[in-house]
Amino acid sequence: MVVGDLVSIITPTYNHAPYIGACIDRVKAQRYPHWELFVLDDGSPDGTAAVAERHADGDSRIHVWRREHKGPERLVELYNHGLERSRGAFVAILEGDDYWPDDKLQVQLQAFEPDAVMSFGLCRVVQPDEAFMYVAPRISTVPTAARSNRPAGAALHELLRLHNFVPAVTAMVRRDALERIGGFQSGHGMVQVDLATWCHLALEGPFQFIDHELGFWRRHEHSITTTRVAQMARSRHRFMTAFLSAHRARIEALIELDEAQLTAAWAHTMHPFGLLWKQGRRHMIFGEFSAAQTTFLAAMKEATTATEWVRATVAWLASTLRVDLLTMARSLINSR
């Protein structure tokens, strides 16, 4: 239990004027009072910074900073600027269009294990119509060793296959662990910071999963995870290749690498069929059935094997029936 320690909250934001007020208000509503919030605006033209300053309302714990727009490929610079300015022993991530339940910091700090470098929990997606459903991590599909990163490096079995099972909106990291890896990490052209940072942290010590809702991830048509799926996949592939090359000896000392599995996972993610399949599955998970229909139809045309064509066809039929058969099947299997 580490209650009493200061938590530094890093909030990168861009064109989040409709959401940043609620984001800040939910931080102010936290039951745990020992926090500082750094709202870091990437030159939003929609007045995001002005809205943030209004909602800060003279609270000395809230700091709003604005830079000229540099784009999501340089998002990691915002994260590390916030890290450099902050003082907390713990660092939490809250992007400007997301928000937290009121007990987030309290629950997480009370449960934080002494040897864990990072903890995370369940999150929900929030759609534009305010419909809710559980999203990542689908923790039942993640092996216990990977989930807890015990022994150190075990999480890389999943992370290296591009399975990011740690929702950034729920993550809290020890500052000293972040400093050991040189701050938040990214790769050339990457439009996200979380996966690269988790890979580096996996070499530092255990993770901790807390079975509690610790964040709300807002999904909307302008989200990077909605608009830049192909770019995200390609940049993550480049990062993973570089990360594995740079740290191979250390990784192999911790875990046994399955090179064939990695190659297959990366090839699937980079292939047009793989990209379309992933986007279609995302639409299905979020109940966006019409978009899923269009995406799976495109995937059928990009299929290079009979198996891929059958998968896309079944998925297209499921989207037409507005039933997520894959998630239902996984739920049945996991309930046995």
Side-chain angles (χ1 to χ4, degrees):
M1 182 170 177
V2 291
V3 172
D5 283 315
L6 180 67
V7 180
S8 297
I9 304 163
I10 308 298
T11 298
T13 186
Y14 178 71
N15 276 359
H16 291 155
Y19 314 117
I20 191 65
C23 174
I24 293 171
D25 288 345
R26 293 302 287 269
V27 172
K28 293 166 68 175
Q30 288 296 303
R31 299 173 191 173
Y32 184 80
H34 306 301
W35 51 262
E36 58 180 1
L37 171 63
F38 293 88
V39 180
L40 308 164
D41 179 52
D42 188 31
S44 301
D46 71 344
T48 295
V51 176
E53 288 168 352
R54 288 200 299 272
H55 281 263
D57 194 27
D59 191 322
S60 62
R61 297 173 296 178
I62 304 174
H63 313 273
V64 180
W65 181 79
R66 190 174 191 270
R67 73 175 184 184
E68 292 184 3
H69 181 60
K70 296 184 180 179
E73 293 81 4
R74 296 176 63 177
L75 179 62
V76 69
E77 296 174 8
L78 278 181
Y79 275 88
N80 283 321
H81 179 79
L83 182 63
E84 291 168 4
R85 296 184 62 190
S86 65
R87 303 174 291 118
F90 294 86
V91 179
I93 298 169
L94 178 61
E95 296 198 352
D97 51 351
D98 299 332
Y99 62 95
W100 289 338
D102 297 348
D103 63 351
K104 195 266 190 193
L105 295 180
Q106 182 181 69
V107 167
Q108 202 158 13
L109 285 168
Q110 287 177 339
F112 218 113
E113 295 173 351
D115 63 342
V117 298
M118 174 176 69
S119 71
F120 65 98
L122 298 169
C123 76
R124 285 189 182 231
V125 66
V126 184
Q127 295 175 301
D129 61 0
E130 295 300 313
F132 297 87
M133 68 183 76
Y134 284 101
V135 290
R138 295 183 179 280
I139 207 65
S140 60
T141 69
V142 180
T144 300
R147 183 191 318 174
S148 63
N149 198 40
R150 294 178 186 271
L156 291 171
H157 282 296
E158 298 295 310
L159 297 175
L160 284 172
R161 292 192 301 113
L162 304 179
H163 180 195
N164 185 1
F165 59 88
V166 180
V169 68
T170 73
M172 183 182 290
V173 187
R174 291 189 187 273
R175 171 182 291 276
D176 58 359
L178 269 176
E179 291 176 343
R180 286 200 301 273
I181 66 171
F184 289 100
Q185 299 294 313
S186 188
H188 178 70
M190 285 187 81
V191 297
Q192 73 270 53
V193 175
D194 52 352
L195 181 60
T197 302
W198 307 160
C199 285
H200 284 272
L201 285 173
L203 299 175
E204 297 299 320
F207 294 172
Q208 179 190 4
F209 169 70
I210 299 173
D211 191 10
H212 188 86
E213 286 183 17
L214 296 177
F216 294 86
W217 171 41
R218 195 186 299 273
R219 178 178 166 84
H220 50 87
E221 62 181 355
H222 302 299
S223 300
I224 290 175
T225 50
T226 301
T227 61
R228 301 203 182 196
V229 173
Q231 181 181 350
M232 288 172 66
R234 294 186 180 98
S235 63
R236 285 187 300 181
H237 178 265
R238 286 195 298 269
F239 165 77
M240 287 302 182
T241 303
F243 176 80
L244 188 57
S245 175
H247 300 280
R248 178 175 288 275
R250 189 177 178 190
I251 292 170
E252 289 181 338
L254 296 171
I255 63 172
E256 183 177 346
L257 286 171
D258 187 333
E259 300 282 359
Q261 185 186 69
L262 284 181
T263 299
W266 291 352
H268 173 73
T269 303
M270 291 300 294
H271 190 275
F273 176 85
L275 294 174
L276 289 165
W277 175 263
K278 180 176 180 179
Q279 181 67 71
R281 284 299 308 145
R282 188 183 295 274
H283 286 314
M284 290 292 282
I285 290 169
F286 296 135
E288 300 162 355
F289 296 110
S290 295
Q293 278 184 281
T294 301
T295 305
F296 286 131
L297 185 60
M300 290 165 61
K301 297 175 180 177
E302 293 289 347
T304 56
T305 66
T307 299
E308 288 181 347
W309 187 87
V310 170
R311 284 175 62 197
T313 302
V314 171
W316 176 80
L317 288 171
S319 65
T320 302
L321 296 172
R322 304 178 70 82
V323 178
D324 187 356
L325 295 174
L326 184 56
T327 297
M328 290 174 63
R330 285 173 174 170
S331 297
L332 288 173
I333 293 170
N334 293 329
S335 66
R336 292 178 180 176

